[in-house]
Amino acid sequence: MDIPKQYDPKQAELHHYERWEKAGYFAPEINKDPGAPVFTIVIPPPNVTGSLHMGHALQHTLMDVLTRYKRMSGFRTLWLPGMDHAGISTQLMVTRALKKEGKSRHDLGREKFVERVWQWKAESGGQITVQMRREGASVDWSREKFTMDEPLSRAVREVFVRLYEEGMIYRGNRIVNWCPQDQTVLSDLEVDKLPQSGKLYYLQYPVKGSERRLTVATTRPETMLGDTAVAVNPSDERYTDLLGATLLLPLTDRQIPVIADEFVDPEFGTGAVKVTPAHDPNDYEMGVRHNLAQVVVIDQFAKMTADAGESFAGLDRYKARDKVVEEFEQLGLLEKVVDYEFAISKCERCKTVIEPLISTQWFMNMEQLRDLALDLMAKKQKPQFVPEVPYERVYTSWLENLRDWTISRQLWWGHQIPAWYTNDGRVFVARTEAEAREKAGTDELTQDPDVLDTWFSSALWPFSTLGWPNETDDLKVFYPSSVLVTARDIIFLWVSRMMMMGAKFMGREAFADVFVTGTILDSHGQRMSKTKLNGVDPLDVFDKFGVDATRLTLAQVGSTDTRWNEKQVESYRNFANKIWNAARFCLLNSEGASVDSTLLLLGPQASPPASEVLKSSKVDSAGGDACGPSTALHDRWIISRLNRTAIDVGAALSAYQFHEAVQTLYHFFWDDFCDWYIELSKNDVTTEEPGEQRKVARSRLLSVLEQALRLLHPFMPYITEELWMLLPGVGKSSLHPAYAHAEPTLMLAAYPAGNPAFVDEQVESEMQAIIDLISRVRNIRSEMNIKPSERIPVLVGAPDERLRNVYLAAVDQIGRLVRAADVTITERLEAPRASARAVLTGGSELAVPLEGLIDFEQERQRLLREQDKLKAEAAKLEAQLQNPSFVERAPADRVAEVRNRIEDISQRTSQLQQTLENLQ
Ligand SMILES: [Zn+2]
């Protein structure tokens, strides 16, 4: 058997993925079982402009683990990939490219510009699909979708028309969030509310026909030019006599009334507030209530309009602010200016301060949709959030407070709104222009220039990708999807909207479960971001440690916020090497053997426990057992551990406990399989003597390895496939029956479910007793600095007969693994005074007589020196902790590190003390 000494991840990553993809293993059609259960995931579509970041790598790993696990378990599995057209980001990307050529999008015109975006997509978009292949993501590329594909665009138009016809989509003149930089309206979710320290200006408005002045407080004095009233709370006695009075609005020739409105907070400012319906959302509502005029004084470029007055028209809004304040001061109408902290609304993309403007937009009334989603939660508990707390509450309380959704955007890249206008201003909403013409009875139509919010098409993703509105087979089979794996920051933007649209158009939930991932932070606990340049590129990590090690690290993150720690990836790289080396050992000793699953059918019923075997017929009872001559304890033990591991991993994955699954597999492979099983079976496996015993031992070792590779495959697809293909005896018969027709590949092998009947508590506890014994002796060897080549005597006293028999049955292996000259097992321990001792499970004791093994005095001196050194180090660390400036200024993890080290030292020192006493 020829197998390289070193694992080369790149080699495996290169050729297996291509082979899997070409063979069609990712498509659900590979499953030929007509009764197979179905498992579906739709990918959160990355932006077409995007490239892989840690957040994607995390989500993709978790989705791939689930998909591979279900596929191997015989499910008809679909993980559907695709990309989002990402309206504004993509438009900006292409606009910037044009700028380098000295052109603007207006130079090209809409049609040419959109063509240019498609061209950009063909040439440079979708980098991420290449990177996803590197990740090992087993998505069905034959069903890849793009939100601007014609079938998906058709779904968008269909939904728009139906909601319009039901009166849920409407066009209206409303106050909206406007970004003067991006020149588009934004939804509330695209606006960041940020704390800002600014000023609160107290402006006085003269009362008509009186010497009195009414003072209002505002953070935006320039908007006073658009005031159409001043409002007070009706219960505010300070102003009762002014209700109905008229004010002379300074800097203008307009007169405005004093009105009463419950909305006014008497505690804010002076209790009298200026009302600017055209430039503030709350004032807008108040204006509607009181039928106030809307005077627009700021335009879409955040410049003052003609209605602001001749001396202000054309000024930038901040210049206008200074001028208003200056003129109020000159008129003696500026009462005071105070510092003031408030929340300011900024565009989440370009950070420009939002200008609330009245504009004609398309809106979606959310009442019915919201009730559908809340109903699903109340009656069917759908979706099931994992973790349930806090996300279920976050989701429902957001729904409860939902407002109308502004769905139009002033962009060119996106789904153009399917509404056409006649020359006389009538509007016709239709699926196609032809349909609109028919409805309008004229060909003279102009389509609405706006496009839909990108999230409109994303909301339809779970069914538009499956062919809706056509009643396709895919839709019947794969809707709803099983689970959505997503980040917490798009629960509102995306998760809730998919649930609402799914409920409305498919009559049921879009997905059963929502798994909300944790966030990967940088090593200082900060969010990774492009602007902070603190992101870690997953592709670099793949290059350095291999995809499998990275995936294992990411899978372990699960739903917990986690600081990125390269050491962790490194340790999983070492784990990959461990797997490689273990497999290499098995393969180098595989002559005459092959994987044979019948050798693993060794449960409690198959043979009595070691103690029983010993009682009836002494050890080594050849024959009589279907499983061949070797029915040693360690064989039954590894089979029990294997089954238990499979059961635990299955349970963990079903509950989305990825961390537990990784830990279980890691310890099974490293501790149980490598550290113990390989060691315990080494003699039988490596013997020069060919024969039935060697063949069975080798075959069973290979079979356990083969099962372990299956268990690991969803997490580490590359190394497991690479090794599995090398195992003698694997082939078509290893595949899950649903894939029996396929070429051999681990990704279609049956995932071990584990059989509780093969979990043998007694065998496990007996083996654990032997493991404890061997570990204790090894500890003593290292504690006492006994040379590795030195053969030592081992004395064991086991008053419990059953346990004594267990030790006796394994006496040769114990001797071999601790390099003992001889192992004496008796009922009562009788050992010389100068012995190293340890207490074992079940009341047993152990001693290693030290006379002649070590120089007592020399050893005592060595131990004392170590003790002194540790004490000095501890004193130094303690002093550091006493220093308040260290504790306050050092990073929290550094302080914790010092505390842990002190703890370790204290444990080690008491160990040393114990050892020294043994040497008295
Ligand atoms: Zn902006």
Side-chain angles (χ1 to χ4, degrees):
M1 173 64 62
D2 200 22
I3 168 167
K5 276 198 166 140
Q6 283 282 325
Y7 174 49
D8 176 5
K10 265 184 208 140
Q11 186 52 31
E13 288 160 22
L14 264 178
H15 68 264
H16 292 307
Y17 194 91
E18 210 183 298
R19 183 170 58 86
W20 293 330
E21 187 182 345
K22 275 198 185 132
Y25 295 157
F26 301 152
E29 286 74 20
I30 193 76
N31 188 314
K32 300 292 186 207
D33 171 11
V38 174
F39 181 80
T40 316
I41 299 188
V42 291
I43 203 167
N47 286 351
V48 61
T49 51
S51 69
L52 195 74
H53 59 57
M54 267 306 167
H56 296 126
L58 168 62
Q59 288 182 10
H60 297 169
T61 296
L62 300 181
M63 285 185 266
D64 197 45
V65 165
L66 293 172
T67 304
R68 285 179 185 269
Y69 162 62
K70 292 289 185 180
R71 188 185 291 117
M72 290 174 75
S73 302
F75 283 65
R76 184 185 313 283
T77 311
L78 171 61
W79 180 14
L80 191 145
M83 283 184 295
D84 194 280
H85 66 282
I88 201 162
S89 310
T90 312
Q91 175 156 333
L92 280 176
M93 181 88 76
V94 176
T95 307
R96 262 183 239 128
L98 280 176
K99 206 172 170 187
K100 281 186 193 148
E101 301 166 20
K103 282 189 247 169
S104 82
R105 68 186 162 107
H106 299 281
D107 295 336
L108 266 71
R110 184 172 192 142
E111 203 174 316
K112 283 266 176 302
F113 179 80
V114 170
E115 253 172 47
R116 180 73 188 246
V117 181
W118 280 107
Q119 189 191 334
W120 172 87
K121 178 192 179 268
E123 284 162 10
S124 1
Q127 282 303 317
I128 200 162
T129 60
V130 177
Q131 297 163 335
M132 281 176 64
R133 286 175 164 88
R134 177 88 194 275
E135 287 178 297
S138 61
V139 297
D140 179 7
W141 292 111
S142 72
R143 284 178 169 83
E144 186 184 359
K145 296 291 186 291
F146 181 52
T147 46
M148 290 276 283
D149 288 343
E150 179 44 32
L152 280 78
S153 301
R154 197 182 141 216
V156 164
R157 293 194 298 270
E158 184 66 31
V159 165
F160 189 96
V161 171
R162 287 199 203 171
L163 292 182
Y164 178 80
E165 284 168 355
E166 285 188 47
M168 291 162 65
I169 283 182
Y170 63 94
R171 190 160 175 260
N173 212 11
R174 296 268 303 261
I175 194 143
V176 295
N177 304 302
W178 181 266
C179 176
Q181 172 67 35
D182 293 332
Q183 285 294 301
T184 183
V185 66
L186 301 172
S187 75
D188 290 347
L189 290 170
E190 294 163 296
V191 172
D192 289 335
K193 288 225 185 274
L194 302 169
Q196 161 105 351
S197 33
K199 306 265 184 232
L200 190 60
Y201 302 86
Y202 286 74
L203 310 178
Q204 297 177 341
Y205 294 176
V207 179
K208 188 181 178 186
S210 148
E211 288 303 302
R212 280 183 70 177
R213 293 166 178 180
L214 183 56
T215 305
V216 295
T218 179
T219 56
R220 307 178 59 207
E222 70 279 11
T223 61
M224 62 76 51
L225 297 166
D227 284 1
T228 50
V230 167
V232 298
N233 192 292
S235 66
D236 193 339
E237 287 170 8
R238 289 174 294 178
Y239 300 113
T240 315
D241 60 325
L242 280 179
L243 284 178
T246 300
L247 305 173
L248 302 170
L249 189 65
L251 317 186
T252 72
D253 52 10
R254 289 193 291 118
Q255 304 190 353
I256 60 175
V258 178
I259 60 170
D261 194 287
E262 298 281 353
F263 177 82
V264 178
D265 174 12
E267 305 293 319
F268 174 79
T270 60
V273 299
K274 56 194 278 312
V275 185
T276 325
H279 297 288
D280 179 278
N282 295 322
D283 293 6
Y284 173 84
E285 303 285 344
M286 208 186 292
V288 171
R289 283 197 292 276
H290 296 272
N291 209 10
L292 299 174
Q294 297 165 349
V295 178
V296 175
V297 292
I298 303 175
D299 71 9
Q300 56 173 335
F301 301 100
K303 291 204 160 60
M304 307 310 284
T305 65
D307 282 348
E310 215 172 298
S311 63
F312 289 96
L315 280 186
D316 171 80
R317 57 184 162 175
Y318 297 116
K319 289 257 163 55
R321 177 175 301 177
D322 294 343
K323 191 168 158 68
V324 165
V325 173
E326 205 177 298
E327 295 194 8
F328 264 76
E329 192 159 25
Q330 280 165 12
L331 293 169
L333 295 175
L334 183 65
E335 189 170 304
K336 60 179 174 178
V337 181
V338 300
D339 290 335
Y340 187 61
E341 294 275 335
F342 62 105
I344 195 159
S345 299
K346 293 189 175 175
C347 169
E348 70 164 1
R349 252 178 315 270
C350 74
K351 309 301 172 203
T352 302
V353 174
I354 292 302
E355 192 59 53
L357 286 187
I358 289 187
S359 117
T360 304
Q361 301 290 343
W362 289 90
F363 299 90
M364 192 188 293
N365 179 297
M366 304 303 286
E367 279 172 23
Q368 186 197 110
L369 294 168
R370 172 199 62 204
D371 291 346
L372 287 171
L374 284 172
D375 247 32
L376 275 178
M377 183 56 89
K379 294 186 182 141
K380 289 178 71 188
Q381 189 64 32
K382 291 280 161 42
Q384 176 70 53
F385 279 92
V386 183
E388 190 174 328
V389 177
Y391 299 114
E392 183 179 314
R393 190 73 208 119
V394 164
Y395 169 82
T396 50
S397 61
W398 185 74
L399 281 175
E400 282 156 7
N401 294 299
L402 201 52
R403 299 202 297 176
D404 287 6
W405 176 13
T406 315
I407 50 175
S408 45
R409 294 291 181 276
Q410 287 64 53
L411 299 173
W412 285 352
W413 176 241
H415 299 102
Q416 194 168 353
I417 288 176
W420 284 264
Y421 303 97
T422 57
N423 292 335
D424 55 359
R426 287 175 302 145
V427 57
F428 294 91
V429 167
R431 288 162 185 83
T432 59
E433 182 158 5
E435 192 185 315
R437 282 179 185 165
E438 203 178 312
K439 282 183 176 174
T442 170
D443 289 355
E444 301 277 294
L445 293 177
T446 318
Q447 189 172 2
D448 194 299
D450 288 355
V451 300
L452 288 165
D453 181 0
T454 298
W455 293 101
F456 191 101
S457 51
S458 317
L460 317 181
W461 186 249
F463 52 89
S464 67
T465 50
L466 298 173
W468 189 92
N470 292 341
E471 285 180 18
T472 60
D473 288 343
D474 268 11
L475 204 57
K476 273 179 223 140
V477 176
F478 298 111
Y479 187 92
S481 37
S482 313
V483 57
L484 178 78
V485 175
T486 188
R488 71 173 77 100
D489 50 0
I490 52 176
I491 290 178
F492 306 147
L493 279 169
W494 194 46
V495 178
S496 65
R497 287 171 179 165
M498 285 191 288
M499 282 310 274
M500 290 188 275
M501 291 299 189
K504 173 77 183 166
F505 292 99
M506 294 297 298
R508 60 179 304 185
E509 70 277 7
F511 23 78
D513 299 343
V514 177
F515 180 79
V516 183
T517 69
T519 305
I520 297 177
L521 307 166
D522 74 3
S523 57
H524 304 290
Q526 300 286 313
R527 274 188 92 96
M528 291 185 180
S529 95
K530 266 189 202 159
T531 43
K532 277 191 260 170
L533 295 173
N534 64 343
V536 176
D537 185 345
L539 296 158
D540 292 343
V541 186
F542 293 164
D543 285 342
K544 199 163 169 194
F545 298 107
V547 170
D548 286 332
T550 315
R551 286 172 58 115
L552 212 52
T553 310
L554 292 168
Q556 183 165 268
V557 167
S559 62
T560 315
D561 285 0
T562 304
R563 291 179 186 204
W564 184 251
N565 177 1
E566 210 173 82
K567 286 250 163 10
Q568 182 68 74
V569 200
E570 196 181 335
S571 91
Y572 284 133
R573 197 260 325 266
N574 298 342
F575 181 53
N577 289 336
K578 184 86 178 173
I579 295 172
W580 186 263
N581 291 333
R584 189 165 181 272
F585 170 82
C586 300
L587 286 165
L588 292 177
N589 293 288
S590 62
E591 197 193 301
S594 68
V595 171
D596 175 359
S597 57
T598 62
L599 292 172
L600 301 179
L601 301 176
L602 203 55
Q605 307 94 325
S607 65
S611 47
E612 301 300 313
V613 173
L614 201 72
K615 260 187 197 159
S616 54
S617 61
K618 282 288 165 200
V619 218
D620 198 13
S621 60
D625 193 315
C627 302
S630 172
T631 54
L633 179 65
H634 63 268
D635 290 327
R636 290 196 303 279
W637 170 76
I638 197 68
I639 289 161
S640 178
R641 293 293 308 144
L642 176 66
N643 281 281
R644 191 189 288 277
T645 300
I647 292 167
D648 290 352
V649 169
L653 287 179
S654 302
Y656 304 107
Q657 290 169 341
F658 297 95
H659 178 91
E660 284 72 5
V662 170
Q663 289 303 311
T664 303
L665 286 168
Y666 181 89
H667 291 298
F668 172 74
F669 199 91
W670 195 300
D671 303 342
D672 297 346
F673 184 67
C674 295
D675 285 357
W676 295 106
Y677 189 64
I678 290 184
E679 292 305 317
L680 290 162
S681 40
K682 215 167 214 166
N683 250 14
D684 291 340
V685 167
T686 56
T687 177
E688 299 281 314
E689 243 170 84
E692 190 60 11
Q693 182 152 346
R694 188 180 81 171
K695 184 183 157 199
V696 169
R698 287 180 167 189
S699 296
R700 190 175 284 128
L701 185 64
L702 285 170
S703 306
V704 176
L705 171 69
E706 199 260 351
Q707 293 287 312
L709 293 177
R710 293 187 193 208
L711 286 167
L712 286 163
H713 178 77
F715 299 87
M716 310 177 83
Y718 290 120
I719 188 173
T720 51
E721 175 82 330
E722 180 85 2
L723 289 169
W724 189 84
M725 304 285 282
L726 297 173
L727 297 181
V730 301
K732 281 183 179 279
S733 64
S734 320
L735 300 181
H736 188 285
Y739 313 113
H741 58 286
E743 288 305 307
T745 167
L746 179 53
M747 66 169 285
L748 300 178
Y751 201 75
N755 183 347
F758 289 97
V759 174
D760 188 332
E761 301 285 350
Q762 184 166 351
V763 158
E764 286 196 30
S765 89
E766 289 178 1
M767 190 67 216
Q768 195 54 48
I770 291 168
I771 288 173
D772 278 350
L773 172 63
I774 294 170
S775 308
R776 293 304 172 105
V777 178
R778 285 174 171 173
N779 274 350
I780 290 172
R781 289 196 76 115
S782 91
E783 277 298 303
M784 291 299 167
N785 215 14
I786 299 170
K787 281 194 220 102
S789 58
E790 197 83 64
R791 296 263 165 195
I792 57 169
V794 174
L795 308 174
V796 180
D800 179 86
E801 192 192 358
R802 191 183 62 82
L803 210 49
R804 195 160 64 241
N805 286 334
V806 169
Y807 293 141
L808 278 168
V811 78
D812 290 347
Q813 280 170 327
I814 297 170
R816 189 165 55 80
L817 293 182
V818 303
R819 306 188 129 264
D822 61 320
V823 181
T824 311
I825 295 161
T826 51
E827 191 175 344
R828 234 163 269 292
L829 181 68
E830 280 168 37
R833 218 178 77 84
S835 293
R837 290 160 196 268
V839 177
L840 300 171
T841 31
S844 305
E845 280 181 288
L846 147 76
V848 176
L850 296 170
E851 195 64 60
L853 279 180
I854 54 171
D855 180 331
F856 279 26
E857 192 43 37
Q858 202 184 331
E859 193 54 23
R860 270 173 51 80
Q861 291 308 324
R862 185 185 69 85
L863 295 172
L864 283 169
R865 275 198 305 277
E866 187 185 344
Q867 213 174 26
D868 287 347
K869 230 167 103 185
L870 288 172
K871 278 181 183 158
E873 188 188 342
K876 223 160 124 187
L877 294 173
E878 292 282 5
Q880 222 171 8
L881 283 185
Q882 296 300 319
N883 180 353
S885 74
F886 170 77
V887 179
E888 275 160 32
R889 281 190 218 138
D893 39 352
R894 172 73 191 127
V895 177
E897 210 174 274
V898 169
R899 293 218 160 92
N900 288 340
R901 177 70 187 143
I902 292 175
E903 183 61 28
D904 288 349
I905 291 177
S906 126
Q907 274 183 19
R908 175 75 187 141
T909 341
S910 50
Q911 260 175 23
L912 286 173
Q913 195 53 41
Q914 186 63 47
T915 314
L916 277 164
E917 275 160 24
N918 281 335
L919 289 176
Q920 289 301 331

